[in-house]
């Protein structure tokens, strides 16, 4: 170790010389973590991991019990959507992004935009005509929302759409579950 | 009356034993933390997959890990320890 002290450090040492004589300790020792402190840190980490797991599970369980009736909403600009293109919108709330796809045959399909793997936003790939997740290369069938390949464990949440007076309306949301499919 | 030399050998052994115990304690705590990290990842995965039936067992498993951690930190003591909880050395009788 070099003894290349800066002037500031020398000043501090000079100022604290009296205390150094009575309570001698080195600065290196101050930064040292004792085994007991490290053990306590691991204990806190364990508590945090437990609270995290419980919180996540609790939130998921609460979300599963919510069965609110969703109000229908018109999807602005959907009627002008060209075949084989997609449009992003928000449904059922402003915080829930969704994607509307008009397939080449003119049919409309809408899904929640969160990938069922780790919630990355999916996008419509016009070349392959499927919904793809860029994060972990998952893909979904555009007509059914089923998983084509990749890590997603369940289909996308389907949003019901219907035509009303020449406008496309989102009328409800069907969250898919793994149990429904009998997978896993 | 014990001599200094007679005293120092068991004292050194006790220190070595104490160090080994701390080592074992730390290794176990780290292993449990890793297991809990895996459990948290599995919980997130199951929640996103809406695989609700496994959520409760995962949370219980994480809770058990936490209790084991707590017991290791708070209650694990060497059986041959001479020091009391206040730091005084018990006298041999």
């Amino acid at each position: 170790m070099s003894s290349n002290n800066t002037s500031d450090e020398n000043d501090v040492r000079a100022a604290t010389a009296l205390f150094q004589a009575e309570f001698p300790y080195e600065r290196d020792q101050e930064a040292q973590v004792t085994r007991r402190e490290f053990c306590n840190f691991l204990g806190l980490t364990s508590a945090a991991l437990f609270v995290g797991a419980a919180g996540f599970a609790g939130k998921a369980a609460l979300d599963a019990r919510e069965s609110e009736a969703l109000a229908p909403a018109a999807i602005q600009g959907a009627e002008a959507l060209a075949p084989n293109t997609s449009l992003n919108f928000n449904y059922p709330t402003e915080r829930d992004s969704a994607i509307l796809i008009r397939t080449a045959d003119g049919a409309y399909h809408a899904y929640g935009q969160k990938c069922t793997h780790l919630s990355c936003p999916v996008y419509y790939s016009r070349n392959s005509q499927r919904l793809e997740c860029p994060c972990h290369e998952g893909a979904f069938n555009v007509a059914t929302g089923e998983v084509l390949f990749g890590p997603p464990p369940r289909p996308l949440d389907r949003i019901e759409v219907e035509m009303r007076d020449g406008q496309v309306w989102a009328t409800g949301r069907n969250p898919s579950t793994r149990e429904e499919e009998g997978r896993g | 009356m014990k001599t200094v030399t007679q005293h120092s050998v068991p004292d050194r052994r006790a220190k070595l034993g104490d160090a080994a115990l701390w080592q074992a304690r730390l290794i176990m705590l780290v292993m449990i933390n890793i297991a809990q990290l895996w459990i948290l990842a599995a919980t997130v995965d199951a929640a996103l997959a809406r695989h609700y039936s496994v959520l409760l067992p995962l949370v219980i498993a994480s809770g058990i890990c936490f209790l084991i951690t707590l017991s290791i930190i708070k209650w694990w003591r060497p059986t041959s320890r001479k020091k009391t909880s206040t730091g005084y050395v018990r006298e041999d009788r």
Side-chain angles (χ1 to χ4, degrees), chain A residues 35-36 38-40 42-43 45-47 49-50 52-53 56-57 60 64 117-119 153-154 157 175-176 178-179 184, chain B residues 19 22-23 25-26 29-30 33 36-37 40 43-45 47-53 55 59 62-63 65-66 69 73:
Chain A
R35 283 181 298 201
R36 188 177 295 276
F38 189 57
C39 266
N40 290 339
L42 290 175
T45 308
S46 176
L49 289 170
F50 170 57
F56 220 97
H117 178 222
L118 289 175
S119 300
R154 63 181 173 87
D157 293 340
S176 65
R178 209 175 178 185
E179 279 82 357
Chain B
W22 274 106
Q23 202 88 355
R25 197 176 270 170
L26 281 174
L29 288 175
V30 168
N33 269 17
Q36 270 191 295
L37 203 60
L40 178 64
T43 307
V44 172
D45 212 26
L48 289 173
R50 302 212 171 114
H51 196 181
Y52 299 118
S53 57
L55 286 178
V59 172
S62 187
C65 285
F66 173 59
T69 300
I73 293 172

Side-chain angles (χ1 to χ4, degrees), chain A residues 9-10 16 21 23 44 60 68-69 76 94 103 147 151 154 170 183:
Chain A
E9 194 171 345
N10 286 330
T16 58
F23 305 103
L44 281 175
E68 58 192 276
Q76 301 299 325
E94 282 299 309
T103 51
V147 180
R154 63 181 173 87
R183 294 175 65 180

Side-chain angles (χ1 to χ4, degrees), chain B residues 4-16:
Chain B
V4 175
T5 323
Q6 280 171 333
H7 229 117
S8 63
V9 174
D11 196 43
R12 204 183 313 135
R13 280 185 187 159
K15 276 184 181 173
L16 279 173

Side-chain angles (χ1 to χ4, degrees), chain A residues 98-111:
Chain A
I99 185 166
L100 176 78
I101 305 109
R102 190 172 190 192
T103 51
D105 60 4
Y108 288 99
H109 302 280
Y111 302 96

Side-chain angles (χ1 to χ4, degrees), chain B:
Chain B
M1 200 64 181
K2 289 176 182 176
T3 63
V4 175
T5 323
Q6 280 171 333
H7 229 117
S8 63
V9 174
D11 196 43
R12 204 183 313 135
R13 280 185 187 159
K15 276 184 181 173
L16 279 173
D18 207 39
L21 184 88
W22 274 106
Q23 202 88 355
R25 197 176 270 170
L26 281 174
I27 289 168
M28 288 195 72
L29 288 175
V30 168
M31 283 169 68
I32 290 170
N33 269 17
I34 290 168
Q36 270 191 295
L37 203 60
W38 183 87
I39 289 170
L40 178 64
T43 307
V44 172
D45 212 26
L48 289 173
R50 302 212 171 114
H51 196 181
Y52 299 118
S53 57
V54 300
L55 286 178
L56 188 62
L58 284 168
V59 172
I60 290 171
S62 187
I64 289 170
C65 285
F66 173 59
L67 287 179
I68 294 170
T69 300
L70 210 61
S71 74
I72 289 172
I73 293 172
K74 293 281 175 193
W75 299 297
W76 268 37
R77 295 284 180 270
T79 51
S80 62
R81 195 169 191 175
K82 285 188 171 182
K83 283 182 182 175
T84 63
S85 58
T86 51
Y88 291 104
V89 178
R90 290 196 188 97
E91 288 179 8
D92 290 332
R93 299 189 179 213

Side-chain angles (χ1 to χ4, degrees), chain A:
Chain A
M1 290 291 281
S2 66
S3 58
N4 187 20
N5 292 335
T6 61
S7 59
D8 285 350
E9 194 171 345
N10 286 330
D11 292 344
V12 170
R13 286 193 175 277
T16 58
L18 191 65
F19 300 101
Q20 288 284 338
E22 292 187 24
F23 305 103
Y25 72 94
E26 292 298 320
R27 181 170 280 192
D28 293 344
Q29 289 175 351
E30 195 181 11
Q32 193 182 22
V33 179
T34 64
R35 283 181 298 201
R36 188 177 295 276
E37 284 170 348
F38 189 57
C39 266
N40 290 339
F41 170 74
L42 290 175
L44 281 175
T45 308
S46 176
L49 289 170
F50 170 57
V51 169
F56 220 97
K59 171 90 169 60
L62 278 177
D63 289 348
R65 288 188 180 182
E66 280 178 11
S67 57
E68 58 192 276
L70 302 176
I75 304 171
Q76 301 299 325
E79 56 281 354
L81 199 62
N84 202 26
T85 55
S86 66
L87 174 76
N88 287 347
F89 64 103
N90 296 311
Y91 187 82
T93 68
E94 282 299 309
R95 288 179 301 152
D96 300 306
S97 60
I99 185 166
L100 176 78
I101 305 109
R102 190 172 190 192
T103 51
D105 60 4
Y108 288 99
H109 302 280
Y111 302 96
Q113 210 184 0
K114 280 183 185 173
C115 177
T116 54
H117 178 222
L118 289 175
S119 300
C120 290
V122 296
Y123 70 93
Y124 178 60
S125 169
R126 294 176 66 179
N127 294 334
S128 51
Q129 296 192 351
R130 64 190 177 210
L131 288 157
E132 292 182 353
C133 176
C135 293
H136 302 99
E137 298 181 355
F140 302 88
N141 186 311
V142 75
T144 62
E146 295 284 334
V147 180
L148 294 174
F149 57 82
R154 63 181 173 87
L156 289 171
D157 293 340
R158 190 178 187 85
I159 291 172
E160 302 298 332
V161 288
E162 62 180 54
M163 294 294 288
R164 291 182 184 176
D165 301 327
Q167 271 199 316
V168 183
W169 284 67
T171 57
R173 184 180 167 119
N174 288 332
S176 65
T177 62
R178 209 175 178 185
E179 279 82 357
E180 274 175 14
E181 306 160 57
R183 294 175 65 180

